Amino acid sequence: MDLIVSTDVLAAFCERAAQYEFVTVDTEFLRETTYWPRLCLIQVATDDEAVLIDPLAPDIRLAPFFALLANPGVTKVFHAARQDIEIFVKLTGAVPNNIFDTQVAASVCGFGDSASYDSLVRSICKIELDKSSRFTDWSARPLSEKQLSYALADVTWLRDIYRELRRQVEAARRWDWVEDEMTALRSIDTYVVKPEQAWERLKMKFNRPRDIAALKVLAQWRERRAQETDQPRSRILKDDVLAELATQRPLTADAFEKLRAVPRGFGRSGAAGEIIALLKDVEALPKAALPPMPERYRGPSPKGAVGDLIRVLLKAVAEQHGVAARIIATSDEIDALVLDDEADVPALRGWRRKLFGEKALAIKHGRVGLVATRKGIVEIAVDRAAAAE
């Protein structure tokens, strides 16, 4: 079993790998106590060999492997690529060139939402993987033979999975579906969190503009501090603390002690001093400078009967075409569609609009109904004049 620990050996392997149409790639990393993932192992396979690269080895530089990632002539095959690619974006400043995600392809081919690697190995390769080394400290050295074997299996069977999924995608003529899903994975914006945009990731709904203004600056402060100190966001401030600070806006050290979610004594910390300064700035903002509140919507509720009918339609369309429902539309997209016929969501663009979006809008406006039959859910045209009588 090859464990590469020197730059020369790595360069020689990458030179060989560059001659192939594709390579399979996976990583092992740790992130429990850091903001940035710590890369501990890289697994790579070509048709003829599979290797493990030790990024923690003292005499190795990863430049040859990064060059392979950037090579547009070689497809880099991942499974559930987002976290692996995030690591390489942090190390190189770029998304690997010419990537393919087998989890995306599997969802397009009817293997369900977010199909796991071992489930694909089981269904496509007819092999049951030994997952006993899943929870391991990948930063510890030396790695055991069992650990190395476990890690290598994440790229060896991936070769067969990739070939089979390519065949199925081509047979179903769904390359445009895969390409649409890959767009986000290929965008560097997917992996770079800008502190000023951190508040957008928080699922918090406030009714007062000043609360929203406070949440924006607090989330930005936490994100920047987490990045600079390489700590998880939750170790800086948990989400519930962030929400309470945004709505209560304590302006003195003593005021922190009256808050339920804030740890005792936090008000005397240096972090609390920075937060107080930020909140004082928020309190000083004139009304004209506060974030605008969205106009109150007075149409059908996305969580009401219309949304429910469209969700039934989604399930029926997904079953009819043998594809994971999430690939066609998410629950949030259905909510947006109910609220706005022109919502900027994938479900109302391209192949998704033809497959699902136009039917969803027809249901929303009463032009189409759904009927349960022995063969499943079918759509029927609605006589709106008769329905109104």
Side-chain angles (χ1 to χ4, degrees):
M1 193 177 304
D2 291 329
L3 179 62
I4 297 177
V5 295
S6 70
T7 307
D8 290 345
V9 176
L10 175 61
F13 166 75
C14 291
E15 185 176 352
R16 296 192 300 274
Q19 307 307 311
Y20 289 84
E21 177 188 349
F22 73 91
V23 295
T24 55
V25 184
D26 191 36
T27 66
E28 305 296 345
F29 58 90
L30 298 178
R31 196 175 195 165
E32 288 79 5
T33 61
T34 61
Y35 180 93
W36 308 107
R38 184 187 181 197
L39 181 60
C40 299
L41 194 68
I42 305 171
Q43 305 98 284
V44 191
T46 68
D47 269 336
D48 297 321
E49 59 182 318
V51 303
L52 301 168
I53 304 167
D54 186 357
L56 303 182
D59 297 323
I60 198 168
R61 299 295 178 269
L62 297 178
F65 178 68
F66 294 155
L68 178 64
L69 291 179
N71 186 337
V74 181
T75 301
K76 271 65 69 177
V77 180
F78 297 85
H79 181 80
R82 189 177 295 259
Q83 291 191 84
D84 299 315
I85 293 175
E86 180 187 7
I87 292 171
F88 297 131
V89 168
K90 172 62 177 173
L91 294 173
T92 70
V95 177
N97 211 331
N98 192 1
I99 60 175
F100 184 94
D101 190 330
T102 53
Q103 189 175 73
V104 169
S107 62
V108 165
C109 294
F111 286 87
D113 290 346
S114 303
S116 67
Y117 178 67
D118 50 330
S119 71
L120 292 180
V121 172
R122 189 181 307 116
S123 59
I124 292 177
C125 306
K126 311 304 179 186
I127 295 292
E128 193 71 38
L129 291 177
D130 176 9
K131 306 300 288 184
S132 60
S133 295
R134 175 178 296 180
F135 302 107
T136 192
D137 182 358
W138 292 105
S139 67
R141 293 296 185 271
L143 295 170
S144 68
E145 287 295 313
K146 185 176 181 180
Q147 289 173 316
L148 297 176
S149 295
Y150 165 86
L152 206 59
D154 282 344
V155 290
T156 51
W157 297 110
L158 190 55
R159 297 176 293 199
D160 295 333
I161 291 171
Y162 170 63
R163 292 189 187 94
E164 175 58 21
L165 290 178
R166 275 190 62 100
R167 185 194 68 77
Q168 291 190 26
V169 171
E170 289 170 354
R173 298 181 179 180
R174 290 178 177 175
W175 272 113
D176 55 336
W177 297 22
V178 174
E179 287 299 311
D180 275 0
E181 288 301 298
M182 292 295 297
T183 298
L185 289 176
R186 291 170 179 154
S187 171
I188 196 168
D189 292 337
T190 300
Y191 311 100
V192 177
V193 180
K194 298 178 180 178
E196 62 271 20
Q197 297 174 346
W199 75 279
E200 297 173 359
R201 295 186 169 215
L202 300 170
K203 302 297 183 182
M204 300 177 186
K205 294 183 180 180
F206 294 151
N207 297 320
R208 298 181 298 180
R210 205 170 297 276
D211 293 351
I212 299 175
L215 179 64
K216 286 185 174 182
V217 298
L218 289 170
Q220 180 175 347
W221 173 85
R222 181 180 72 167
E223 197 74 23
R224 181 172 290 112
R225 192 178 180 94
Q227 291 179 356
E228 291 173 350
T229 60
D230 194 19
Q231 296 183 72
R233 297 180 187 93
S234 61
R235 288 201 176 184
I236 305 300
L237 282 180
K238 295 184 183 298
D239 286 354
D240 60 338
V241 176
L242 213 63
E244 190 171 21
L245 290 175
T247 55
Q248 299 303 313
R249 297 191 291 281
L251 301 181
T252 66
D254 290 338
F256 280 86
E257 299 302 318
K258 299 177 181 179
L259 303 181
R260 178 180 300 178
V262 177
R264 291 291 171 259
F266 180 80
R268 306 295 175 185
S269 67
E274 295 178 23
I275 290 172
I276 289 172
L278 292 172
L279 293 178
K280 285 182 177 179
D281 289 341
V282 170
E283 292 295 342
L285 288 173
K287 286 186 177 181
L290 295 175
M293 295 296 293
E295 293 184 10
R296 187 176 180 183
Y297 176 71
R298 299 185 182 279
S301 168
K303 301 301 183 184
V306 173
D308 290 343
L309 281 173
I310 294 176
R311 286 175 172 82
V312 172
L313 171 70
L314 174 61
K315 184 176 181 180
V317 169
E319 290 178 352
Q320 178 186 350
H321 293 275
V323 63
R326 182 190 60 81
I327 291 293
I328 302 173
T330 66
S331 183
D332 287 346
E333 289 172 17
I334 291 175
D335 290 350
L337 184 153
V338 173
L339 296 174
D340 183 3
D341 286 5
E342 303 298 327
D344 184 18
V345 294
L348 292 178
R349 296 194 296 268
W351 65 268
R352 292 178 177 83
R353 185 182 183 98
K354 295 179 181 179
L355 195 71
F356 166 76
E358 290 176 356
K359 296 176 182 179
L361 291 175
I363 287 175
K364 173 184 173 181
H365 293 289
R367 298 191 299 270
V368 167
L370 299 177
V371 175
T373 71
R374 291 182 178 180
K375 295 183 178 180
I377 301 296
V378 297
E379 306 128 35
I380 60 170
V382 173
D383 185 337
R384 300 180 69 182
E389 294 178 356

